[in-house]
């Protein structure tokens, strides 16, 4: 399922106008154009994932519905993820996608399926186990994520760990070339603060009041407001590009974006070496005007950057570099394209270290989930205990 490529088109155009010749290796993160068959397959997979959430039935495995249930989305991410990982030519993106698919498969699919854990509010509201859902206020994992985002940026979740980016960067990949860009699209990014305000109100209701009929109604409406656009934007991808939900509608992305702004993460921009090739803007699925912001501020420090690293790794003059908490400890550290790509080889010491840390985290989360489930009591008792703990009842 190779793209018929905008990449090739871009190269020709650059060659014919004689202004700048981009080697193919520089073009690998540009969005390709895919065949109608590939796009139809992607839309069918989106549809399958969606119906899995609305209709829990079809095929069973030891009494668990497996092919048409909410885990169907994660199966689609795994299937299309394998395609994307094998086809990806940027080593850093390949590493990111491999980690993303592994996190979704283990944390969002296997653990909740094998060790069901009901969380206060969300778990009972949808009558399904949700641990260790990162999309639910009140979970330890959520607060742990907030801390990690503060230290390393929104990329911790929006680039490397969220099922939403998982399905949009795997199943939704053929629609990257449709990403809406330009000044107007950039201005519309503020819409997400409406969803953020509702989210803050929902979180306040959870901490302020024990579950009752009106909090359940309010939280139910809030959930619908999040969930309907989540799925609707699957099917809008051929018009809007694959990251429309993350750019404009996700309240959690807005939360993580705020921490992007006040935390240690940013992209350093070197005005002296930038050659104005615009490649960084062309590869950005979040439609961020990287060059304009970089030239004005000497850095790209926005709430929108999900830290995919495409701009950094593809910058031909190494004018861009990630900056996070590690730069406080190691001021000489420069996380530019060369460093990110060199650390992504399967045999590199850094990659092996990251893989070991990842395996340790997965094991810890799995053991924690097992311990919670077996030693704290039934899911319902645990929910009541947690609500009592948080609300003081
Ligand atoms: S913006 Fe929201 S949906 Fe998108 S990756 Fe981030 S948390 Fe997930
Ligand atoms: S920062 Fe790099 S990729 Fe972006 S315009 Fe400058 S040289 Fe090109
Ligand atoms: S600015 Fe760069 S790192 Fe951030 S989302 Fe865009 S391409 Fe990814």
């Amino acid at each position: 399922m190779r793209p018929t490529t905008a990449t090739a088109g871009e190269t020709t155009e650059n060659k014919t106008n004689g202004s700048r010749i981009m080697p193919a290796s520089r073009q690998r993160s540009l969005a390709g154009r895919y065949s109608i068959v590939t796009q139809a397959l992607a839309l069918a997979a989106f549809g399958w994932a969606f119906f899995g959430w609305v209709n829990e039935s079809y095929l069973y495995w030891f009494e668990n519905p497996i092919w048409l249930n909410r885990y169907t989305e994660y199966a689609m991410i795994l299937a299309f993820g394998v395609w994307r990982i094998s086809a990806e030519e940027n080593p850093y993106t390949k590493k990111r996608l491999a980690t993303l698919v592994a996190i979704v498969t283990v944390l969002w699919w296997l653990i909740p399926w094998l060790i069901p854990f009901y969380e206060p509010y969300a778990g009972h509201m949808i009558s399904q186990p949700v641990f260790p859902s990162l999309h639910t206020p009140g979970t330890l994992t959520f607060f742990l994520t907030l801390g990690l985002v503060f230290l390393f940026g929104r990329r911790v979740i929006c680039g490397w760990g969220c099922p939403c980016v998982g399905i949009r960067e795997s199943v939704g990949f053929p629609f990257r070339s449709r990403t809406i860009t330009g000044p107007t699209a950039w201005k519309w990014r503020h819409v997400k603060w409406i969803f953020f305000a509702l989210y803050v109100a929902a979180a306040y209701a959870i901490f302020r009041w024990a579950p009752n009929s009106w909090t359940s109604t309010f939280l139910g409406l809030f959930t619908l407001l999040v969930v309907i656009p989540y799925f609707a934007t699957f099917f809008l991808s051929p018009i809007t590009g694959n990251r429309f939900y993350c750019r404009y509608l996700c309240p959690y992305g807005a939360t993580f974006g705020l921490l992007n702004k006040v935390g240690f993460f940013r992209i350093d921009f070197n005005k002296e070496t930038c050659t104005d090739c615009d490649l960084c803007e062309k590869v950005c699925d979040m439609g961020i005007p990287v060059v304009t912001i970089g030239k004005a501020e000497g850095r790209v420090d926005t709430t929108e950057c999900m830290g995919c690293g495409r701009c950094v790794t593809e910058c031909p003059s190494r004018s861009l570099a990630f900056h996070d908490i590690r730069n406080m400890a190691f001021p000489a550290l420069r996380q530019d394209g060369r460093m990110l790509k060199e650390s992504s080889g399967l045999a590199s010491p850094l990659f092996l270290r990251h893989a070991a840390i990842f395996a340790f985290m997965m094991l810890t989360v799995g053991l924690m989930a097992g311990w919670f489930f077996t030693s704290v009591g039934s899911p319902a008792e645990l929910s009541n205990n947690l609500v009592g703990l948080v609300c003081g009842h």
Side-chain angles (χ1 to χ4, degrees):
M1 289 195 277
R2 286 253 166 206
T4 53
T5 79
T7 300
E10 295 278 353
T11 309
T12 308
E13 187 184 314
N14 285 331
K15 280 181 177 166
T16 49
N17 71 22
S19 61
R20 188 172 290 113
I21 297 173
M22 287 290 172
S25 60
R26 294 281 180 218
Q27 306 259 340
R28 57 194 167 199
S29 286
L30 283 169
R33 295 204 179 93
Y34 289 82
S35 69
I36 293 292
V37 175
T38 307
Q39 294 180 48
L41 272 176
L43 283 175
F46 272 146
W48 203 359
F50 170 64
F51 283 112
W53 277 93
V54 296
N55 180 12
E56 279 261 346
S57 63
Y58 190 58
L59 191 60
Y60 285 80
W61 173 262
F62 295 115
E63 299 185 358
N64 291 312
I66 53 172
W67 291 121
L68 202 59
N69 62 11
R70 70 198 186 90
Y71 300 126
T72 311
E73 179 178 1
Y74 310 140
M76 294 296 117
I77 293 172
L78 182 59
F80 277 72
V82 168
W83 162 51
R84 277 316 315 150
I85 294 161
S86 59
E88 182 58 54
E89 292 177 353
N90 180 324
Y92 184 73
T93 304
K94 191 188 265 287
K95 180 172 86 167
R96 184 172 65 82
L97 292 177
T99 310
L100 178 57
V101 170
I103 285 177
V104 170
T105 304
V106 175
L107 281 191
W108 293 78
W109 183 5
L110 294 182
I111 291 180
W113 182 40
L114 299 173
I115 313 171
F117 178 100
Y118 288 75
E119 185 190 56
Y121 286 98
H124 287 292
M125 201 158 56
I126 59 177
S127 305
Q128 288 177 339
V130 290
F131 182 79
S133 169
L134 301 177
H135 268 185
T136 313
T139 59
L140 292 175
T141 44
F142 184 77
F143 289 109
L144 174 66
T145 303
L146 293 183
L148 290 174
V149 171
F150 185 76
L151 299 176
F152 299 102
R154 183 176 164 182
R155 61 183 154 155
V156 169
I157 179 77
C158 297
W160 295 73
C162 175
C164 172
V165 61
I167 195 155
R168 285 156 216 269
E169 286 236 18
S170 55
V171 178
F173 199 84
F175 306 116
R176 272 189 73 213
S177 61
R178 313 290 166 76
T179 298
I180 302 169
T181 55
T184 307
W186 178 240
K187 277 185 196 144
W188 276 93
R189 72 192 186 282
H190 298 303
V191 168
K192 65 179 173 295
W193 299 114
I194 298 170
F195 290 82
F196 175 73
L198 287 167
Y199 168 61
V200 171
Y204 180 77
I206 283 178
F207 284 105
R208 178 70 180 79
W209 294 285
N212 59 44
S213 58
W214 81 263
T215 55
S216 297
T217 305
F218 175 60
L219 292 171
L221 288 174
F222 172 71
T223 305
L224 280 181
L225 207 62
V226 171
V227 167
I228 291 173
Y230 180 88
F231 289 114
T233 48
F234 280 3
F235 306 104
L236 288 176
S237 298
I239 303 167
T240 61
N242 61 339
R243 298 305 296 267
F244 188 84
Y245 182 76
C246 302
R247 291 175 71 185
Y248 298 113
L249 305 172
C250 179
Y252 310 106
T255 312
F256 301 134
L258 280 180
L259 290 170
N260 239 15
K261 197 78 183 165
V262 300
F264 290 93
F265 176 77
R266 65 171 190 257
I267 298 175
D268 289 331
F269 184 97
N270 188 335
K271 297 181 206 177
E272 309 303 322
T273 55
C274 173
T275 59
D276 284 321
C277 69
D278 280 346
L279 192 53
C280 49
E281 295 192 6
K282 287 180 186 161
V283 297
C284 181
D285 291 345
M286 299 298 275
I288 298 171
V290 178
V291 185
T292 311
I293 296 176
K295 286 197 168 165
E297 301 174 12
R299 57 169 65 181
V300 181
D301 183 16
T302 71
T303 55
E304 284 70 35
C305 176
M306 54 89 157
C308 68
R310 283 195 174 99
C311 60
V312 176
T313 51
E314 296 302 337
C315 175
S317 60
R318 296 171 60 202
S319 303
L320 301 169
F322 277 153
H323 183 111
D324 58 36
I325 183 70
R326 288 170 289 188
N327 291 87
M328 299 291 286
F330 308 103
L333 176 67
R334 184 164 165 76
Q335 302 182 60
D336 61 10
R338 180 187 292 174
M339 184 269 179
L340 294 183
K341 282 188 278 193
E342 283 178 356
S343 69
S344 302
L346 282 180
S348 83
L350 198 56
F351 181 85
L352 294 175
R353 200 157 67 230
H354 284 167
I357 293 170
F358 178 74
F360 176 74
M361 282 174 59
M362 291 295 106
L363 189 66
T364 307
V365 170
L367 290 174
M368 271 177 58
W371 176 80
F372 269 130
F373 186 61
T374 52
S375 61
V376 185
S378 71
E381 286 167 345
L382 182 54
S383 295
N384 290 335
N385 291 343
L386 281 177
V387 169
L389 195 68
V390 171
C391 303
H393 307 292

